[in-house]
Amino acid sequence: MVTRGFFSGRRPPSDTDARIPPGQYLEQGFPVLSAGPTPRVRTEDWSFTLKHGPKPIKKWSWAEFNALPQSKMTRDIHCVTAWTKFNTPWQGVLIDDILADAGIEPPTAFTLALSFDGYSTNVPAKDLVTGKAMVALLYDGKPITADHGGPARLLVPHLYFWKSAKWVNGLQFTERDEPGFWELHGYHMYGDPWREQRYSSDS
Amino acid sequence: MSAEPQPQPQSPWQTATISRIEKRTPRVTSFWFQPSRPFTHLAGQHVDVRLTAPDGYQARRSYSIASAPEAGAGIELAIERLDDGEVSPFFHDVAAVGDEIELRGPLGGHFIWEASDGGPVLLVGGGSGVVPLMAMVRHRGSQKSAAPIALVFSARVWDEVVFRDELIRLDDRRDGFDLVLTLTREQARRPADYSRRVDAKMMAQAMERLPKAPRLAYVCGSNAFVSAAAEALIDAGVPAGIIRTERYGV
């Protein structure tokens, strides 16, 4: 339905159009969104735990985690609130390298990413491996600020950005696809920006 | 092509007609939308609005609902004009009563207060961040809820206090709703109000207006405002786990 009198000068140039999912607009800044206050997580108190159900598989301190192989990833990111940001540069530890250090393959098809503030979000295991996702430690070469999830956040750039859990402190393999925080509050279980899977009623 | 056509799920978008427009402050105008399909929301929820240009280009934004669920006469969105915006200038400069707009909702299941949630509740809003909090305050009134609510509302100047007259009227009833205004660029006009940015001392004093410690706290505004206000609440002793936030801007 054409909106009377709406003529936007914002249409993205055609060379970038193909990189902007439907319903998104290009953002130059870096908006902050969260469900609660920003937790201040000190690296002395930080740890990352890999779990299968309730059972811990391996736990890393900040120093141990930083000693894992680090990779760089520059990706476009897409927030469900309709902004897209191009070429965000991250550095961190690929989920593949975390699993390799623990000496395991994904034991189940589903995971919940867990955060210091109690937040959680579900991501299929296949969306985390083969170089698709990392636990990011640096943004643009610098430590990630607390507002953006520092000291460490999950990065799953091909899904809506609420899946890239801030203040991440663990990854739990689950037997079933269990909804996380926003998924319990009406958001989509998978969240593919190219299919506009924003809310639970989206196919 | 032997397969039967599959029934398509109903589009989540619907058409709503603008039924009323009222300027609230120099930068904020309220638009009432009459949805074409049944619409029931909870206080604190938002809608997505979608505009389509003749060439097919679409822009969508989220706006909080200001009206109480019980208000009936359409849903009120109080939209702040952002000079470099794409959608808010359309509403302020072009939209007229009778126009049809696509919207989707209600949306959001976290930043919500229902009368049955009870209180005491501490609300902290910055600028147009007061909008979803206004829905909660109005919902309290229309439900005749006795839940104590204190609203700390930070605006730059007196004339930018959105819903000012209505909020002062509700405050004057002394029925358990308490309004605390703070102006960051002007002197306070009411005896117990402030003229500075929100801080922990202000939050502590706002809590003293409640009969006991808040069960729930809601903070909405720009990112910088929400960060500062949430820290002030925590410094004033509010547990982080009861604070819900909603942010906008960069």
Side-chain angles (χ1 to χ4, degrees):
Chain A
M1 187 191 88
V2 173
T3 312
R4 184 195 69 82
F6 178 64
F7 303 94
S8 178
R10 292 287 181 87
R11 196 183 178 95
S14 53
D15 57 329
T16 57
D17 211 5
R19 288 167 65 185
I20 301 182
Q24 298 290 108
Y25 65 94
L26 197 54
E27 171 68 59
Q28 303 300 332
F30 199 161
V32 171
L33 294 149
S34 63
T38 298
R40 305 285 156 172
V41 182
R42 303 187 312 162
T43 53
E44 304 92 284
D45 304 326
W46 187 93
S47 65
F48 186 89
T49 307
L50 194 61
K51 295 196 225 178
H52 183 178
K55 191 172 120 255
I57 299 170
K58 185 159 181 169
K59 182 174 179 175
W60 294 263
S61 69
W62 179 252
E64 290 162 346
F65 197 83
N66 276 263
L68 297 176
Q70 296 208 10
S71 304
K72 292 184 178 179
M73 216 189 246
T74 297
R75 292 288 186 279
D76 300 344
I77 53 174
H78 314 289
C79 177
V80 72
T81 63
W83 55 265
T84 283
K85 185 172 176 60
F86 282 169
N87 302 319
T88 63
W90 305 89
Q91 180 177 321
V93 182
L94 293 176
I95 306 299
D96 303 294
D97 289 321
I98 297 172
L99 295 174
D101 195 59
I104 61 161
E105 298 279 319
T108 71
F110 306 103
T111 76
L112 275 173
L114 309 171
S115 295
F116 277 89
D117 64 338
Y119 180 86
S120 61
T121 188
N122 57 325
V123 185
K126 68 174 174 44
D127 288 87
L128 294 175
V129 297
T130 62
K132 290 205 270 299
M134 63 162 52
V135 171
L137 305 169
L138 301 179
Y139 176 76
D140 202 13
K142 294 183 279 292
I144 301 171
T145 60
D147 273 356
H148 285 295
R153 76 176 298 162
L154 188 64
L155 177 70
V156 195
H158 65 287
L159 299 179
Y160 278 127
F161 213 45
W162 90 80
K163 296 286 181 178
S164 293
K166 292 177 173 182
W167 313 295
V168 70
N169 69 351
L171 192 61
Q172 179 178 31
F173 286 96
T174 58
E175 302 301 324
R176 294 176 300 108
D177 191 10
E178 293 182 24
F181 180 85
W182 284 120
E183 295 80 14
L184 285 168
H185 285 104
Y187 285 78
H188 198 273
M189 284 293 276
Y190 184 60
D192 180 346
W194 295 97
R195 294 163 67 190
E196 282 205 81
Q197 293 173 335
R198 298 171 188 274
Y199 307 112
S200 54
S201 57
D202 290 322
S203 53
Chain B
M1 299 293 284
S2 59
E4 291 290 316
Q6 294 297 306
Q8 292 300 306
Q10 192 180 36
S11 162
W13 294 94
Q14 66 163 307
T15 304
T17 307
I18 298 179
S19 56
R20 189 179 150 206
I21 299 175
E22 185 183 324
K23 201 169 170 71
R24 293 281 189 192
T25 74
R27 297 191 306 147
V28 177
T29 296
S30 281
F31 298 82
W32 279 262
F33 294 82
Q34 202 61 58
S36 54
R37 291 205 300 264
F39 186 100
T40 44
H41 72 279
L42 303 172
Q45 283 190 302
H46 65 274
V47 294
D48 281 2
V49 167
R50 181 168 77 177
L51 308 180
T52 305
D55 65 356
Y57 173 78
Q58 292 186 324
R60 62 189 286 166
R61 296 291 185 278
S62 297
Y63 291 108
S64 292
I65 301 170
S67 39
E70 305 82 3
I75 49 174
E76 178 186 355
L77 307 184
I79 298 178
E80 179 177 13
R81 185 197 180 95
L82 305 173
D83 290 329
D84 60 346
E86 180 181 22
V87 174
S88 66
F90 164 83
F91 278 105
H92 282 250
D93 299 341
V94 181
V97 168
D99 279 354
E100 292 188 322
I101 302 289
E102 281 184 296
L103 62 79
R104 176 174 189 184
L107 300 166
H110 177 61
F111 199 82
I112 284 170
W113 181 76
E114 292 183 84
S116 57
D117 293 330
V121 183
L122 185 54
L123 307 176
V124 187
S128 59
V130 75
V131 174
L133 310 179
M134 192 66 194
M136 298 175 188
V137 170
R138 287 168 163 173
H139 174 58
R140 176 186 185 277
S142 46
Q143 289 290 312
K144 303 205 177 351
S145 159
I149 291 186
L151 166 65
V152 181
F153 182 3
S154 173
R156 296 192 299 184
V157 296
W158 179 252
D159 284 340
E160 288 183 4
V161 177
V162 197
F163 312 115
R164 187 185 66 209
D165 296 346
E166 183 178 346
L167 284 169
I168 289 173
R169 253 195 330 271
L170 291 169
D171 188 34
D172 286 343
R173 287 187 190 171
R174 297 278 155 229
D175 71 348
F177 169 71
D178 219 78
L179 174 68
V180 182
L181 290 177
T182 184
L183 305 179
T184 56
R185 297 190 189 174
E186 262 183 19
Q187 285 305 306
R189 303 248 183 130
R190 306 187 313 158
D193 286 345
Y194 300 90
S195 41
R196 62 173 197 262
R197 296 185 178 280
V198 293
D199 55 27
K201 191 176 169 198
M202 193 187 299
M203 296 298 139
Q205 288 172 347
M207 281 193 281
E208 286 169 11
R209 301 187 182 203
L210 296 169
K212 56 183 188 210
R215 283 185 58 218
L216 291 162
Y218 298 81
V219 188
C220 184
S222 68
N223 178 50
F225 177 83
V226 171
S227 292
E231 299 243 324
L233 285 172
I234 290 167
D235 289 345
V238 178
I242 69 160
I243 304 173
R244 301 182 192 190
T245 63
E246 191 154 277
R247 307 165 186 247
Y248 52 77
V250 293

